[in-house]
Amino acid sequence: MMRNILLLLLTPFYTACAAQNKTYSSRLEYSLKGAVKEVNTYGCVASNDNIPKDTTGFLSKFTMTFDEPGNALETNNIYSPLTPGGITPKSLTIYSGTGKNMSYKLLTALEAGKEKEGDYQYVWQNEYAYKIINKADTTSWQLITLDKDFRMIKMVTESDSFKAVDVRETIYKNGRIAKVITRSTDVSNGRENSYLSIWVVKEYDKHDNPSLLYIYDHADEQELKAVVFKRYQYY
């Protein structure tokens, strides 16, 4: 479950908004309503008996910024230390380009003394799918598939010894997102694992962007696993 929380917090979470402009932009892929400048996403461990009321004690914080036309500028991810007294794992993504002509530099410090830097490029396969290629290692890539409104519906991640597939189903109610179901599988060292993640929207901000979400990992939605808070800034 922790894999899904940490991974899925980094992927787009949609609102019920039809694309008015069919020209691709990063903000359109995230399908945010209004002229969002910055979104902060906090992931907090939860249970039925312990439901966080605010972002204090978050497990992860994901900040993403956009320019006024909607192109991604930066993402900044911070996680709680993996061990008591350990470093605070973090990563920074710096984007370049506009529209579909995008690339980025990724700086990570997930373990002490193991800082990494990589350069990545979007390579469009067709109008609604693109690969993210590691310029230094083309055997490592992600394939993103979008719907006709440029919202992500599938992500495939692959390297020499690892492959993961995330497929997303979005459910709407009264013109707004109500629930997102992500079915994930991964294969590592010949072993296959399957995961289910269900995000249920509980509250929205004034622009109808989701602001409070509950996360479950079983179809019955009986055992709460995490709570996500989202905070937005607008132009």
Side-chain angles (χ1 to χ4, degrees):
M1 180 58 192
M2 287 304 102
R3 169 194 176 272
N4 276 2
I5 294 175
L6 296 178
L7 178 61
L8 294 176
L9 285 177
L10 308 184
T11 59
F13 188 83
Y14 312 125
T15 57
C17 140
Q20 301 300 316
N21 183 348
K22 293 295 183 179
T23 301
Y24 172 85
S25 72
S26 306
R27 191 162 58 205
L28 185 59
E29 181 175 341
Y30 280 71
S31 200
L32 296 166
K33 290 188 174 183
V36 173
K37 179 179 183 180
E38 178 177 303
V39 54
N40 288 280
T41 301
Y42 301 84
C44 303
V45 175
S47 68
N48 292 345
D49 298 324
N50 181 24
I51 301 177
K53 301 301 182 183
D54 56 39
T55 62
T56 303
F58 64 83
L59 175 70
S60 61
K61 179 184 178 183
F62 166 51
T63 300
M64 188 168 192
T65 57
F66 303 88
D67 66 12
E68 200 158 0
N71 302 294
L73 296 176
E74 287 188 359
T75 59
N76 193 354
N77 310 319
I78 301 174
Y79 308 97
S80 59
L82 300 177
T83 58
I87 72 164
T88 299
K90 54 189 175 182
S91 66
L92 173 65
T93 305
I94 303 171
Y95 294 89
S96 300
T98 60
K100 290 185 174 182
N101 183 27
M102 296 290 291
S103 61
Y104 63 85
K105 181 182 293 292
L106 176 61
L107 308 171
T108 59
L110 303 181
E111 299 179 61
K114 293 188 177 181
E115 293 79 7
K116 295 182 180 180
E117 179 177 321
D119 292 292
Y120 298 83
Q121 179 72 47
Y122 286 29
V123 180
W124 286 84
Q125 311 297 295
N126 56 53
E127 188 174 359
Y128 299 107
Y130 64 89
K131 272 189 175 182
I132 300 176
I133 300 294
N134 183 333
K135 294 181 180 180
D137 177 14
T138 56
T139 65
S140 175
W141 50 265
Q142 284 186 316
L143 177 64
I144 310 296
T145 303
L146 311 173
D147 68 9
K148 301 302 181 182
D149 291 325
F150 295 114
R151 299 174 298 197
M152 192 185 72
I153 54 176
K154 184 177 181 180
M155 178 173 66
V156 179
T157 304
E158 189 165 327
S159 64
D160 286 338
S161 59
F162 178 80
K163 181 177 181 178
V165 179
D166 299 290
V167 179
R168 181 164 293 178
E169 175 189 359
T170 308
I171 298 171
Y172 300 98
K173 184 177 181 180
N174 299 325
R176 301 190 301 186
I177 189 76
K179 185 184 298 186
V180 171
I181 303 171
T182 303
R183 297 173 175 86
S184 306
T185 59
D186 68 42
V187 179
S188 180
N189 298 319
R191 181 177 178 178
E192 183 171 321
N193 303 289
S194 297
Y195 307 90
L196 177 68
S197 181
I198 302 174
W199 296 51
V200 180
V201 180
K202 295 294 185 178
E203 295 179 7
Y204 305 83
D205 79 346
K206 63 182 180 181
H207 292 280
D208 283 341
N209 288 313
S211 59
L212 176 64
L213 308 99
Y214 283 10
I215 300 181
Y216 303 88
D217 63 358
H218 286 90
D220 60 13
E221 299 177 26
Q222 294 299 304
E223 187 176 354
L224 182 64
K225 291 296 184 179
V227 171
V228 171
F229 299 91
K230 287 180 169 284
R231 303 291 182 259
Y232 303 89
Q233 296 180 27
Y234 296 86
Y235 283 101

